[in-house]
Amino acid sequence: MLRLIERARELKALPRSEQPHTLRGRCVALLFEKPSTRTRVSFHVGISQLGGEPLVLRGDDLQLARGESVADTARVLSRYVDAIVARLSDHGMIEELAASSDVPVVNALTPLHHPCQALADVLTLAERFGQLEGLRLAYVGDGNNVCHSLMLIGAEFGMRVAVATPPELQPREEIVLAAGDAVELLSDPVAAARGARALYTDVWVSMGDEDEAKARRKVLAPYQLNEQLLAVAADDAVVLHCLPAHPGEEITGELLYGDRSAVWDQAENRLHAQKALLELLIAP
């Protein structure tokens, strides 16, 4: 995992004209059931920069829309492409894709995990702080897929991840257990933010949660990432958000666009982290 982050930094440092064509002759299927800006564009551009060919597929482009099984889709795609990147509305689908595919399958987002975002987050923190061992990161808000992946990657790098959520929106218990002692579960966002080097949040109403929007906004209102939280964090703390953001809701505009924001570096780093990941998985 550390080597992947190091390679992402190497690729980021190279001008576009000097990017290695390590994916020349390789084709990667990009399967998107959900709308996407950063994930779709960063994978498409990254594959192209490394000399590969991205093949963008929507759910309704495939026979999946007419009842073909996920397993059969995986078997067929494996005969055509070198990897499958999938952004899906059901985590079970990506598990089935991976189980039936003969080529690597990358989780580009499911309701349970967002691992490619977490790779970009770690790359951003490594750029800012260097040493990640022992670094305290505070996540406040909904204990969702982004939170899950942050806890797991934080444990992998020896970070301390303080998670503050309302009781009814805590992260999944099995993922907390998998992350182990790296995670501290709290209900008080101020306690989570105290002394943290990074403050992180995500939207309050994710895709699929629209029917619960009013109730979610009410219960999450005390968890806004704002100046009061930043004031109790470390003096060099940065602000993180996986985007898209709703200024004035889960984060204030002053923090999102302020000089302590690392949000736009995060967004760019999706490109570099994913290029390193694809190299690791399918480069000759």
Side-chain angles (χ1 to χ4, degrees), residues 122-123 125-126 129-136 157-160:
V122 168
L123 173 57
L125 292 171
F129 300 115
Q131 178 66 36
L132 296 180
E133 182 84 27
L135 183 144
R136 182 177 177 87
F157 281 91
M159 296 164 55
R160 310 297 301 174

Side-chain angles (χ1 to χ4, degrees), residues 198-199 225 230 237-241 251 255-256 260-263 266:
L199 302 181
L225 185 46
L230 187 59
V238 297
V239 173
L240 303 173
H241 192 305
I251 187 171
L255 293 196
L256 180 64
R260 305 281 288 278
S261 174
V263 171
Q266 273 181 283

Side-chain angles (χ1 to χ4, degrees), residues 83-283:
I84 302 167
V85 175
R87 180 182 176 97
L88 303 170
S89 56
D90 179 357
H91 188 76
M93 283 183 66
I94 203 156
E95 292 182 331
E96 193 173 355
L97 269 176
S100 301
S101 173
D102 293 326
V103 299
V105 173
V106 175
N107 180 349
L109 179 142
T110 68
L112 193 60
H113 291 293
H114 200 353
C116 292
Q117 178 64 55
L119 288 174
D121 298 337
V122 168
L123 173 57
T124 304
L125 292 171
E127 289 176 331
R128 292 289 179 125
F129 300 115
Q131 178 66 36
L132 296 180
E133 182 84 27
L135 183 144
R136 182 177 177 87
L137 180 150
Y139 176 92
V140 298
D142 182 14
N144 59 13
N145 52 357
V146 170
C147 178
H148 291 162
S149 292
L150 275 176
M151 292 190 300
L152 293 173
I153 204 165
E156 182 76 22
F157 281 91
M159 296 164 55
R160 310 297 301 174
V161 184
V163 175
T165 70
E168 58 266 52
L169 293 175
Q170 286 186 338
R172 294 270 289 266
E173 181 179 3
E174 67 270 23
I175 297 173
V176 175
L177 291 174
D181 293 341
V183 174
E184 180 183 6
L185 282 186
L186 301 162
S187 59
D188 181 2
V190 174
R194 189 167 288 117
R197 307 285 295 283
L199 302 181
Y200 201 128
T201 195
D202 191 8
V203 296
W204 289 348
V205 183
S206 297
M207 286 181 284
D209 295 330
E210 289 83 2
D211 292 344
E212 306 169 7
K214 185 175 180 180
R216 281 177 160 269
R217 289 187 177 103
K218 182 177 180 181
V219 76
L220 285 163
Y223 294 84
Q224 183 187 67
L225 185 46
N226 55 32
E227 291 76 2
Q228 289 72 36
L229 288 188
L230 187 59
V232 302
D235 291 342
D236 61 350
V238 297
V239 173
L240 303 173
H241 192 305
C242 58
L243 300 176
H246 301 86
E249 194 165 288
E250 77 274 1
I251 187 171
T252 64
E254 288 78 10
L255 293 196
L256 180 64
Y257 302 111
D259 58 8
R260 305 281 288 278
S261 174
V263 171
W264 315 107
D265 292 336
Q266 273 181 283
E268 178 187 345
N269 283 338
R270 293 291 304 277
L271 172 66
H272 309 298
Q274 289 159 188
K275 287 196 295 187
L277 175 63
L278 289 171
E279 271 196 346
L280 177 68
L281 293 175
I282 63 172

Side-chain angles (χ1 to χ4, degrees), residues 43-59:
F43 267 112
H44 194 291
V45 171
I47 294 163
S48 298
Q49 285 186 2
L50 295 180
E53 182 178 352
L55 175 63
V56 178
L57 303 167
R58 298 190 333 177

